[in-house]
Amino acid sequence: MVDGSDLVIIGVSAGLALGILIASLVFFGIRWYKNRAHLRQCANERSLTTLPIRVNGLETSTDFSASVTNSITIHQSEQPQKSSQFFWWNHHNKDRFTSTSGILRYSYKDIQKATQNFTTILGQGSFGPVYKAVMPGGVVAVKVLASNSKQGEKEFQTEVSLLGRLHHRNLVNLLGYCIDKGQRMLIYEFMSNGSLANLLYNVEELVLGWEERLQVALDISHGIEYLHEGAVPPVIHRDLKSANILLDQSMRAKVADFGLSKEEAYDGRNSGLKGTYGYIDPVYMTTNKFTMKSDIYSFGIIMFELITAIHPQQNLMEYINLAAMSPDGVDEILDKQLAGECNIEEVRELAAIAHKCLHKSQRKRPSIGEVSQAILKIKQRRLVKEDTMSFGSRDFSRAASRIEDQHVELTKMTSIKESS
């Protein structure tokens, strides 16, 4: 017979054994889950950085194949000079490392310190807030991905992978990124004069002159031309608008925000089209197919913004259609700030280029290379005219000087004759 004390001992032993078994299962289950999550994260990061790396000069480029084993070599020998100023900080912080795309990765703590705990906000976009930060290499802009945006995370990956291989003087340079503590951030070069939209529509900002606007149009065209015809494979921006054109301290324009198009277009139905209303190609809205010629359409709208300072969401297309009814119709919608301060023939020429970009048929729209060349010709004619006027002015000055010298000589000769 088994007495009561033996039954208690057996029960306690069985309970302990069962508890140990359950604890072991929970322990190994958690460990398996963490290992799986870590492997998934590594796979995601590899997918970000195994695209072809494109390190470019102003107009040329060299392709490198990226791998985890050669990442440090690329950082040391092939990374563009613009990012080298951040190397010292990177070298002295064990929490930061360089990805295979050559773009520096920072910790959340680094960004928090550089932004003084995210105090100075520069703006708010569809991607999330943009903060001013001071790093050892200088002032930068930090874009913080909205934490509740699943779509934004995908766009974040697009941005890093694209800008990791795209470098051009008319594209905003990506200097680093952060994936830490559930946060995703992008570190860009700081563009001190803000967005083109802010300069055109904020009355408190300085007024852009015509020469500056023409140069901005040329800069934008060069940036898009690199994306469409210089990058391998070609890149379609998909969200070109004046708010995504940033200007540096010299008023030179750069195209920004790749892969960050998350604003919904509303055309009377819940269409779910990507882009920004007012800039979207009507062909894309009907076919749902976005092509390079859709970017051309958006650029045409931006050129008319430069001419009129009328926002696309303030019936700009109606003004454009009215102006198209006569050869000098654009004179009537010209920005009042430019009245009497610009060459009206140049305005008409730029408007004619913009009209071609807005053609209803994508096939009849020009390529970005053709647009760029057409704008450049306007600039070149202006320079030739200025040189001619300057040359004529110098000739007139020389002639006047010679006449004056001759007059002095005649006066001297007359004086000598009278004295003799």
Side-chain angles (χ1 to χ4, degrees), residues 33-49 97 105 153 157 177-184:
Y33 177 80
K34 286 184 175 179
N35 286 337
R36 187 177 179 185
H38 176 71
L39 289 172
R40 189 185 300 117
Q41 183 181 358
C42 290
N44 286 340
E45 290 184 1
R46 278 197 297 271
S47 69
L48 277 178
T49 56
F97 63 89
R105 178 170 174 175
E153 182 174 339
Q157 294 174 352
Y177 70 101
C178 171
I179 304 178
D180 191 15
K181 297 186 183 297
Q183 297 287 337
R184 286 169 171 77

Side-chain angles (χ1 to χ4, degrees), residues 47-95:
S47 69
L48 277 178
T49 56
T50 53
L51 291 172
I53 296 174
R54 190 176 179 85
V55 181
N56 305 287
L58 295 183
E59 299 292 351
T60 59
S61 64
T62 307
D63 289 333
F64 298 90
S65 58
S67 67
V68 175
T69 56
N70 69 3
S71 61
I72 303 301
T73 304
I74 290 172
H75 167 65
Q76 292 175 342
S77 61
E78 299 297 345
Q79 187 183 342
Q81 189 175 358
K82 67 178 187 303
S83 297
S84 62
Q85 60 189 357
F86 294 91
F87 175 75
W88 181 88
W89 205 23
N90 177 66
H91 182 69
H92 285 77
N93 193 324
K94 64 181 180 180
D95 294 329

Side-chain angles (χ1 to χ4, degrees), residues 98-378:
T98 309
S99 73
T100 53
S101 64
I103 301 297
L104 298 180
R105 178 170 174 175
Y106 295 95
S107 70
Y108 179 83
K109 192 179 295 184
D110 291 333
I111 306 303
Q112 188 177 33
K113 181 180 178 181
T115 58
Q116 295 184 334
N117 202 22
F118 303 97
T119 53
T120 308
I121 189 165
L122 295 173
Q124 179 77 36
S126 57
F127 178 80
V130 183
Y131 296 94
K132 186 176 182 179
V134 180
M135 291 185 173
V139 180
V140 298
V142 177
K143 288 188 177 183
V144 180
L145 172 66
S147 57
N148 61 349
S149 174
K150 293 181 180 178
Q151 184 181 18
E153 182 174 339
K154 182 179 179 181
E155 291 159 351
F156 177 89
Q157 294 174 352
T158 301
E159 183 86 351
V160 174
S161 63
L162 280 179
L163 289 188
R165 65 183 178 85
L166 299 174
H167 299 281
H168 188 271
R169 65 174 179 267
N170 296 120
L171 301 183
V172 176
N173 288 321
L174 180 68
L175 302 174
Y177 70 101
C178 171
I179 304 178
D180 191 15
K181 297 186 183 297
Q183 297 287 337
R184 286 169 171 77
M185 308 178 211
L186 295 169
I187 298 96
Y188 287 99
E189 63 176 314
F190 179 67
M191 302 294 283
S192 57
N193 277 309
S195 72
L196 175 60
N198 194 48
L199 288 171
L200 288 176
Y201 305 120
N202 190 336
V203 293
E204 295 178 0
E205 295 291 337
L206 56 88
V207 178
L208 281 175
W210 173 247
E211 288 183 38
E212 290 173 317
R213 298 189 196 200
L214 191 59
Q215 184 61 54
V216 165
L218 186 61
D219 288 341
I220 298 169
S221 73
H222 285 159
I224 303 171
E225 185 176 13
Y226 170 75
L227 292 176
H228 286 190
E229 300 178 3
V232 181
V235 174
I236 301 174
H237 189 285
R238 295 175 64 90
D239 196 28
L240 287 169
K241 55 184 177 182
S242 56
N244 282 345
I245 305 301
L246 304 182
L247 291 95
D248 64 15
Q249 60 184 3
S250 303
M251 283 297 175
R252 299 304 295 267
K254 299 189 180 189
V255 180
D257 281 0
F258 300 90
L260 301 186
S261 165
K262 68 191 294 285
E263 294 183 25
E264 297 294 320
Y266 182 73
D267 59 351
R269 303 183 301 275
N270 187 16
S271 61
L273 293 173
K274 295 285 185 67
T276 302
Y277 183 69
Y279 296 89
I280 301 177
D281 178 10
V283 177
Y284 166 57
M285 295 180 75
T286 55
T287 64
N288 207 30
K289 292 181 180 179
F290 206 104
T291 68
M292 289 182 184
K293 293 300 179 74
S294 301
D295 272 354
I296 296 296
Y297 180 91
S298 301
F299 183 38
I301 294 291
I302 293 172
M303 282 191 277
F304 270 114
E305 284 186 90
L306 288 166
I307 292 169
T308 66
I310 300 173
H311 196 278
Q313 295 174 8
Q314 295 177 334
N315 302 319
L316 174 59
M317 276 307 302
E318 291 184 19
Y319 288 102
I320 293 171
N321 292 333
L322 286 171
M325 293 181 179
S326 62
D328 58 353
V330 71
D331 302 9
E332 302 299 321
I333 62 172
L334 178 65
D335 182 6
K336 292 178 182 179
Q337 303 270 21
L338 296 176
E341 301 294 329
C342 63
N343 184 323
I344 198 64
E345 287 302 321
E346 291 179 356
V347 173
R348 292 171 185 169
E349 287 177 38
L350 188 65
I353 297 168
H355 270 298
K356 291 178 181 178
C357 294
L358 301 180
H359 200 286
K360 292 181 179 179
S361 170
Q362 288 188 342
R363 186 174 54 84
K364 293 185 178 180
R365 294 173 195 164
S367 68
I368 190 61
E370 293 169 331
V371 174
S372 183
Q373 285 299 313
I375 299 173
L376 185 60
K377 284 180 180 177
I378 299 175

